[in-house]
Amino acid sequence: MSVTDEAIARIREMIADGRLKPGDRLPKEADLAALLGLSRNSLREAVRALSLIHVLDVRQGDGTYVTSLEPERLLEAVGFMVELRHNSSLLEVFEVRRLLEPAATARAAERITAEQLAELELEMQRAEAAETLEQLVEHDLQFHRMIVAAAGNQVLAALLTQLNSPTVRARVWRGLTQDGAQARTLAEHRGIVAALSARRGDLAHACALVHIAGVEEWLRASVQAVEDQPPA
């Protein structure tokens, strides 16, 4: 383990055991380095690394603070990493969604409130009234965010939100190139809402699986078609 990695581990331990809590200001650099038995350079590198993944917030002229440690912030780095990947890796993102999101949708069928169902219905109506493909895709993203949020697991909701964001271009691409894709998306959303309204976790799982797997298979075929093209 490098000295910087050790410094990261020591700060992480302080947060994990409660010596540093969300919103706390870290001791001055010299004091914290002495407390942890580290050089100031090693501590500085550790703070920089932890700020990049939103564990620490460095405020110029004010000090360094522990962030809220909310899953949404901590998992932002996942979305950034996925954005840098190529189409073949995007397939892996859809595979993860296929593994996780149907289970979240089934859980949502057990936990969703009447108010959340009403909001989901309004979101469906907004999607059906969308005038552009880009608007429809944005409503599509919001639709999925709302369902996963209704499952009541903040970590899962944050993870799926980060995995959904990099798929926007693929969804627009599908809408432009696949006949009937927009109407199919809306119809499949309707099926998911019906399953949620009926409190049918098994049916909600099946509807979400068919919906996500359909997009995944379209993307797989599209990527393969591009790879099979002879070089110019």
Side-chain angles (χ1 to χ4, degrees):
M1 178 183 293
S2 70
V3 177
T4 300
D5 287 340
E6 181 183 354
I8 291 172
R10 300 289 294 278
I11 296 173
R12 184 179 60 201
E13 288 173 6
M14 292 181 70
I15 295 172
D17 65 20
R19 282 179 287 167
L20 286 174
K21 299 180 177 62
D24 281 356
R25 186 179 186 275
L26 268 64
K28 292 181 179 179
E29 183 181 89
D31 295 338
L32 184 58
L35 175 66
L36 299 178
L38 301 167
S39 71
R40 294 178 68 172
N41 283 338
S42 297
L43 178 61
R44 198 171 295 132
E45 289 299 318
V47 167
R48 184 178 294 113
L50 290 170
S51 68
L52 289 174
I53 59 173
H54 305 296
V55 172
L56 298 178
D57 180 17
V58 180
R59 304 176 189 175
Q60 195 67 32
D62 185 17
T64 299
Y65 293 78
V66 180
T67 68
S68 64
L69 301 180
E70 291 294 325
E72 291 83 356
R73 292 211 65 190
L74 297 181
L75 288 169
E76 283 178 5
V78 174
F80 180 74
M81 177 272 293
V82 173
E83 286 278 10
L84 300 179
R85 311 286 284 183
H86 299 294
N87 285 338
S88 57
S89 297
L90 188 58
L91 279 168
E92 296 180 355
V93 173
F94 276 99
E95 183 179 10
V96 175
R97 284 191 63 213
R98 174 168 49 80
L99 292 171
L100 296 180
E101 195 163 334
T105 306
R107 178 62 63 87
E110 302 170 359
R111 297 186 172 187
I112 196 166
T113 66
E115 291 77 12
Q116 287 173 320
L117 277 170
E119 285 296 322
L120 200 58
E121 176 61 34
L122 286 174
E123 189 60 31
M124 274 296 312
Q125 293 174 16
R126 296 185 191 105
E128 291 166 347
E131 297 180 354
T132 66
L133 177 59
E134 288 75 14
Q135 289 176 354
L136 177 59
V137 169
E138 182 53 44
H139 288 303
D140 182 17
L141 291 170
Q142 180 63 10
F143 177 85
H144 288 278
R145 283 194 291 263
M146 293 170 72
I147 291 175
V148 175
N153 186 310
Q154 289 186 336
V155 174
L156 181 59
L159 176 59
L160 286 171
T161 293
Q162 293 304 323
L163 291 175
N164 265 321
S165 296
T167 67
V168 170
R169 282 174 294 185
R171 295 178 183 196
V172 172
W173 181 20
R174 182 192 183 212
L176 291 171
T177 60
Q178 186 180 42
D179 290 340
Q182 297 178 49
R184 187 177 301 113
T185 293
L186 292 171
E188 290 171 353
H189 282 190
R190 276 289 173 197
I192 293 171
V193 171
L196 293 172
S197 299
R199 309 289 179 178
R200 287 282 306 278
D202 56 343
L203 185 56
H205 185 286
C207 289
L209 179 59
V210 168
H211 178 55
I212 296 168
V215 183
E216 180 188 356
E217 287 309 304
W218 165 82
L219 180 61
R220 191 180 305 279
S222 299
V223 170
Q224 189 62 52
V226 171
E227 292 177 350
D228 289 344
Q229 288 181 353

